[in-house]
Amino acid sequence: MVRCTAPVRGHNSASAAANCPACSSRGGYGRYSSPSYSSPSYYDTRSSNTTNSGGSGGSSSRSSKPRWSKSTSSVIYTSAEIRTLTPIRNKVEEITVAKPDLRDVFLCHAWDDRKESAKDLHDLLESLGVSVWFSEKDVLLGAPLLRAIDKGLAASKVGIVLVTPSFLNRLTKEGIADKELSVLLATDRLIPIVHGTTYDALRDVSPLLASRSGLDTEEDSLEDVAKKLSELVTISD
Protein backbone atom coordinates (compact mmCIF):
# COMPACT_ATOMS: atom_id res chain seq x y z
CA MET A 1 0.00 0.00 0.00
CA VAL A 2 1.29 3.41 -0.95
CA ARG A 3 1.60 5.63 2.09
CA CYS A 4 1.26 9.39 2.18
CA THR A 5 4.53 11.15 2.85
CA ALA A 6 2.85 14.14 4.52
CA PRO A 7 2.87 14.83 8.25
CA VAL A 8 -0.38 14.62 10.21
CA ARG A 9 -1.49 18.16 9.24
CA GLY A 10 -0.91 17.57 5.51
CA HIS A 11 1.60 18.74 2.92
CA ASN A 12 2.88 22.27 3.35
CA SER A 13 2.71 23.05 -0.36
CA ALA A 14 0.79 22.02 -3.47
CA SER A 15 3.95 20.82 -5.17
CA ALA A 16 4.74 18.54 -2.24
CA ALA A 17 1.29 17.02 -2.47
CA ALA A 18 1.70 16.56 -6.22
CA ASN A 19 4.94 14.65 -5.70
CA CYS A 20 3.48 12.40 -3.02
CA PRO A 21 2.74 8.89 -4.43
CA ALA A 22 -0.39 8.60 -2.30
CA CYS A 23 -1.90 12.04 -2.78
CA SER A 24 -1.01 12.78 -6.41
CA SER A 25 -3.37 10.06 -7.60
CA ARG A 26 -6.33 11.50 -5.67
CA GLY A 27 -6.59 14.67 -7.66
CA GLY A 28 -7.01 18.01 -6.05
CA TYR A 29 -4.36 17.05 -3.52
CA GLY A 30 -6.95 16.38 -0.88
CA ARG A 31 -4.48 16.16 1.97
CA TYR A 32 -2.82 19.47 1.21
CA SER A 33 -3.56 22.18 3.73
CA SER A 34 -2.02 25.53 4.42
CA PRO A 35 0.27 25.66 7.40
CA SER A 36 -1.37 27.26 10.39
CA TYR A 37 0.34 30.20 12.03
CA SER A 38 -0.23 31.22 15.58
CA SER A 39 0.55 34.74 16.55
CA PRO A 40 3.67 34.99 18.70
CA SER A 41 3.11 35.46 22.36
CA TYR A 42 4.88 38.59 23.51
CA TYR A 43 6.03 38.59 27.08
CA ASP A 44 5.53 41.89 28.80
CA THR A 45 8.45 42.28 31.19
CA ARG A 46 6.38 44.65 33.24
CA SER A 47 4.08 41.81 34.27
CA SER A 48 6.98 40.16 36.09
CA ASN A 49 7.89 43.38 37.82
CA THR A 50 4.58 45.00 38.70
CA THR A 51 1.04 43.99 39.46
CA ASN A 52 -0.56 47.41 39.38
CA SER A 53 -3.98 47.97 40.88
CA GLY A 54 -4.07 51.69 40.48
CA GLY A 55 -1.00 53.83 40.73
CA SER A 56 1.98 51.80 41.73
CA GLY A 57 -0.13 49.74 44.13
CA GLY A 58 0.25 45.97 44.09
CA SER A 59 3.21 43.69 44.67
CA SER A 60 6.30 44.35 42.59
CA SER A 61 9.69 42.75 42.32
CA ARG A 62 12.51 44.74 43.81
CA SER A 63 14.81 46.59 41.46
CA SER A 64 18.07 48.49 41.44
CA LYS A 65 18.29 51.85 43.14
CA PRO A 66 17.28 55.03 41.32
CA ARG A 67 20.05 57.43 40.35
CA TRP A 68 19.24 59.80 43.23
CA SER A 69 19.61 57.12 45.93
CA LYS A 70 23.00 57.02 47.61
CA SER A 71 25.06 53.85 47.40
CA THR A 72 24.96 53.60 51.19
CA SER A 73 21.14 53.73 51.29
CA SER A 74 19.31 50.64 52.52
CA VAL A 75 16.04 51.66 50.85
CA ILE A 76 14.83 49.20 48.20
CA TYR A 77 12.62 50.30 45.28
CA THR A 78 10.47 48.48 42.77
CA SER A 79 10.95 49.12 39.07
CA ALA A 80 7.44 50.62 38.99
CA GLU A 81 8.34 53.07 41.76
CA ILE A 82 11.47 54.17 39.91
CA ARG A 83 9.42 54.82 36.77
CA THR A 84 6.85 56.73 38.81
CA LEU A 85 9.24 58.87 40.82
CA THR A 86 11.84 59.69 38.16
CA PRO A 87 9.78 62.45 36.43
CA ILE A 88 9.01 63.99 39.82
CA ARG A 89 12.69 63.88 40.79
CA ASN A 90 13.51 65.70 37.55
CA LYS A 91 11.00 68.42 38.49
CA VAL A 92 12.44 68.66 42.00
CA GLU A 93 15.92 69.21 40.60
CA GLU A 94 14.66 71.92 38.25
CA ILE A 95 12.63 73.78 40.85
CA THR A 96 15.38 73.56 43.48
CA VAL A 97 17.72 75.46 41.18
CA ALA A 98 15.10 78.12 40.43
CA LYS A 99 13.63 78.38 43.95
CA PRO A 100 15.99 76.93 46.55
CA ASP A 101 14.05 78.27 49.55
CA LEU A 102 10.88 76.23 48.99
CA ARG A 103 9.68 73.68 51.49
CA ASP A 104 10.42 70.13 50.41
CA VAL A 105 6.91 68.75 50.84
CA PHE A 106 3.31 69.91 51.23
CA LEU A 107 1.34 67.31 53.19
CA CYS A 108 -2.31 67.06 52.17
CA HIS A 109 -4.37 64.99 54.61
CA ALA A 110 -7.79 64.56 56.15
CA TRP A 111 -8.59 66.61 59.25
CA ASP A 112 -9.29 63.37 61.13
CA ASP A 113 -5.73 62.14 60.51
CA ARG A 114 -3.99 65.29 61.79
CA LYS A 115 -3.08 63.73 65.17
CA GLU A 116 -2.52 60.19 63.89
CA SER A 117 -1.20 58.94 60.54
CA ALA A 118 -0.62 62.43 59.09
CA LYS A 119 1.38 63.48 62.15
CA ASP A 120 3.27 60.17 62.07
CA LEU A 121 4.31 60.78 58.45
CA HIS A 122 5.17 64.42 59.20
CA ASP A 123 7.36 63.42 62.15
CA LEU A 124 9.12 60.69 60.16
CA LEU A 125 9.89 63.09 57.31
CA GLU A 126 11.20 65.83 59.58
CA SER A 127 13.38 63.34 61.44
CA LEU A 128 15.00 62.64 58.05
CA GLY A 129 15.68 66.32 57.43
CA VAL A 130 12.70 66.96 55.12
CA SER A 131 10.97 70.31 55.53
CA VAL A 132 7.20 69.73 55.57
CA TRP A 133 4.29 72.15 55.27
CA PHE A 134 1.79 70.73 57.75
CA SER A 135 -1.38 72.59 58.63
CA GLU A 136 -1.19 71.57 62.29
CA LYS A 137 1.92 73.70 62.78
CA ASP A 138 1.89 76.10 59.82
CA VAL A 139 -1.60 77.60 60.07
CA LEU A 140 -1.57 80.21 62.82
CA LEU A 141 -4.51 80.58 65.16
CA GLY A 142 -7.05 82.92 63.59
CA ALA A 143 -5.39 82.88 60.15
CA PRO A 144 -7.63 82.26 57.11
CA LEU A 145 -7.21 78.54 56.52
CA LEU A 146 -7.71 78.46 52.75
CA ARG A 147 -5.32 81.35 52.17
CA ALA A 148 -2.67 79.70 54.38
CA ILE A 149 -3.05 76.45 52.45
CA ASP A 150 -2.77 78.32 49.16
CA LYS A 151 0.52 79.86 50.27
CA GLY A 152 1.78 76.51 51.52
CA LEU A 153 1.07 74.84 48.20
CA ALA A 154 2.87 77.60 46.30
CA ALA A 155 5.87 77.38 48.60
CA SER A 156 6.50 73.62 48.33
CA LYS A 157 8.43 71.53 45.82
CA VAL A 158 6.24 68.43 45.99
CA GLY A 159 2.70 67.71 47.14
CA ILE A 160 1.97 64.42 48.85
CA VAL A 161 -1.57 63.24 49.51
CA LEU A 162 -2.06 60.84 52.40
CA VAL A 163 -4.96 58.71 51.18
CA THR A 164 -6.70 57.06 54.13
CA PRO A 165 -10.30 55.94 54.76
CA SER A 166 -10.86 59.29 56.49
CA PHE A 167 -9.47 61.16 53.49
CA LEU A 168 -11.80 59.30 51.11
CA ASN A 169 -14.72 60.14 53.38
CA ARG A 170 -13.73 63.82 53.43
CA LEU A 171 -13.47 63.96 49.64
CA THR A 172 -17.09 62.91 49.27
CA LYS A 173 -18.08 65.89 51.44
CA GLU A 174 -16.03 68.35 49.36
CA GLY A 175 -14.25 69.95 52.30
CA ILE A 176 -10.80 71.48 52.71
CA ALA A 177 -9.03 68.28 51.65
CA ASP A 178 -10.99 68.35 48.40
CA LYS A 179 -9.86 71.93 47.70
CA GLU A 180 -6.22 71.07 48.40
CA LEU A 181 -6.46 68.05 46.13
CA SER A 182 -7.97 70.11 43.30
CA VAL A 183 -4.93 72.38 43.31
CA LEU A 184 -2.45 69.51 43.57
CA LEU A 185 -4.07 67.63 40.69
CA ALA A 186 -3.23 70.57 38.44
CA THR A 187 0.50 70.04 39.05
CA ASP A 188 2.94 67.37 37.89
CA ARG A 189 4.53 67.10 41.32
CA LEU A 190 1.87 65.08 43.13
CA ILE A 191 2.46 61.78 44.94
CA PRO A 192 -0.42 59.84 46.50
CA ILE A 193 0.48 57.77 49.56
CA VAL A 194 -2.15 55.07 50.00
CA HIS A 195 -2.38 54.10 53.67
CA GLY A 196 -4.94 51.78 55.22
CA THR A 197 -7.01 51.60 52.03
CA THR A 198 -6.59 50.61 48.37
CA TYR A 199 -6.28 52.17 44.94
CA ASP A 200 -9.57 50.54 44.02
CA ALA A 201 -11.32 52.38 46.85
CA LEU A 202 -9.58 55.60 45.81
CA ARG A 203 -10.67 55.12 42.20
CA ASP A 204 -14.31 54.99 43.30
CA VAL A 205 -13.98 58.45 44.87
CA SER A 206 -11.30 60.18 42.78
CA PRO A 207 -10.39 58.52 39.47
CA LEU A 208 -8.03 61.41 38.68
CA LEU A 209 -5.98 60.91 41.83
CA ALA A 210 -6.07 57.12 41.41
CA SER A 211 -4.57 57.55 37.94
CA ARG A 212 -1.44 59.05 39.52
CA SER A 213 1.16 56.52 40.53
CA GLY A 214 2.46 56.74 44.06
CA LEU A 215 3.48 54.73 47.10
CA ASP A 216 1.52 52.22 49.13
CA THR A 217 1.98 51.20 52.76
CA GLU A 218 0.74 47.72 51.89
CA GLU A 219 4.11 47.27 50.18
CA ASP A 220 6.27 49.33 52.54
CA SER A 221 6.02 50.54 56.09
CA LEU A 222 5.22 54.21 56.65
CA GLU A 223 8.84 54.61 57.75
CA ASP A 224 10.14 53.24 54.45
CA VAL A 225 7.74 55.46 52.52
CA ALA A 226 9.15 58.45 54.42
CA LYS A 227 12.69 57.36 53.52
CA LYS A 228 11.79 57.17 49.83
CA LEU A 229 10.23 60.62 49.94
CA SER A 230 13.28 61.94 51.76
CA GLU A 231 15.64 60.59 49.09
CA LEU A 232 13.35 61.96 46.36
CA VAL A 233 13.38 65.57 47.56
CA THR A 234 16.91 65.78 48.96
CA ILE A 235 19.44 67.38 46.62
CA SER A 236 22.97 66.55 47.70
CA ASP A 237 25.63 69.26 47.44
Side-chain angles (χ1 to χ4, degrees):
M1 178 179 178
V2 179
R3 293 183 179 275
C4 175
T5 59
V8 174
R9 292 188 178 181
H11 297 288
N12 60 7
S13 70
S15 61
N19 293 327
C20 173
C23 297
S24 60
S25 61
R26 296 179 187 175
Y29 315 120
R31 284 185 55 87
Y32 167 71
S33 64
S34 302
S36 63
Y37 296 96
S38 60
S39 58
S41 101
Y42 294 100
Y43 178 71
D44 185 351
T45 56
R46 291 173 299 177
S47 65
S48 67
N49 293 329
T50 306
T51 305
N52 198 338
S53 61
S56 67
S59 63
S60 305
S61 65
R62 298 301 171 179
S63 178
S64 58
K65 294 179 181 179
R67 61 176 175 78
W68 60 86
S69 180
K70 293 182 178 180
S71 59
T72 55
S73 172
S74 61
V75 182
I76 301 174
Y77 294 77
T78 66
S79 56
E81 287 170 343
I82 294 174
R83 289 194 302 270
T84 293
L85 298 177
T86 295
I88 297 176
R89 172 65 182 198
N90 293 340
K91 291 292 182 181
V92 168
E93 291 171 349
E94 291 175 12
I95 201 169
T96 299
V97 172
K99 301 177 180 180
D101 296 329
L102 295 183
R103 295 278 186 98
D104 291 319
V105 166
F106 178 95
L107 175 55
C108 174
H109 62 91
W111 176 255
D112 314 66
D113 296 325
R114 70 193 187 282
K115 296 186 182 300
E116 298 177 355
S117 53
K119 186 178 186 303
D120 292 341
L121 181 56
H122 164 269
D123 292 350
L124 285 168
L125 288 169
E126 293 229 320
S127 71
L128 295 167
V130 177
S131 58
V132 184
W133 194 97
F134 185 46
S135 58
E136 281 299 285
K137 70 174 179 13
D138 287 296
V139 178
L140 301 177
L141 184 64
L145 181 58
L146 286 177
R147 181 55 186 148
I149 289 172
D150 193 41
K151 289 181 178 179
L153 286 166
S156 302
K157 299 174 187 175
V158 169
I160 59 175
V161 182
L162 184 62
V163 181
T164 64
S166 294
F167 183 84
L168 297 179
N169 182 53
R170 288 286 178 177
L171 284 186
T172 61
K173 297 178 180 178
E174 299 184 355
I176 297 297
D178 183 64
K179 292 180 173 63
E180 291 179 0
L181 179 58
S182 296
V183 175
L184 288 171
L185 282 170
T187 75
D188 51 6
R189 290 175 283 121
L190 168 62
I191 308 170
I193 310 297
V194 176
H195 180 59
T197 185
T198 65
Y199 271 95
D200 287 336
L202 173 59
R203 189 178 295 107
D204 289 339
V205 177
S206 177
L208 277 177
L209 181 57
S211 69
R212 303 290 187 96
S213 297
L215 301 173
D216 192 336
T217 58
E218 274 198 358
E219 294 185 359
D220 292 301
S221 66
L222 197 62
E223 182 178 2
D224 284 340
V225 166
K227 289 178 180 178
K228 290 179 180 180
L229 291 170
S230 172
E231 291 191 347
L232 181 70
V233 299
T234 300
I235 307 296
S236 300
D237 296 330

